[in-house]
Amino acid sequence: MNYDTFVEQVALRSRTAPERAAELTRATLETLTERLTGGEVLDLAAQLPKALQLVLKPHPATEAADRFGAAEFVARVGQRAGVDENAARDAVRAVFVTLREAITGGEFDDVVVQMPRDYRDMVEPAMAPGATRR
């Protein structure tokens, strides 16, 4: 999937303009980078378009992931994108569903396994019947 298609899908799913969807995608992926191990960030980035790879940079000083829950994830996305909690949560769901379409099923599973159970309501829409899996 190319960058424009990725952003268009996020825009449709989050019911926002493409420019806003690009900001929400960036905010979500930057936050995801903090939540995943460095090696997993590199694996994920390898399957995404170049423009999104630039967002997914592991912290050079550590392989370890920051351990924070879903509420903190949404708060960080909201702060980065300048949106309220509901808009941030919708954006995170939209990005996860689009990620599932853009990367292999095995890679998506590798990302999801690093998330605790409280992320379920944001990740499950990507795993629902009818969600496309590559």
Side-chain angles (χ1 to χ4, degrees), residues 59-81:
H59 190 279
T62 182
E63 165 67 12
D66 257 353
R67 299 293 178 197
F68 52 87
E72 177 65 18
F73 191 100
V74 169
R76 289 182 187 197
V77 170
Q79 183 176 23
R80 282 187 165 109

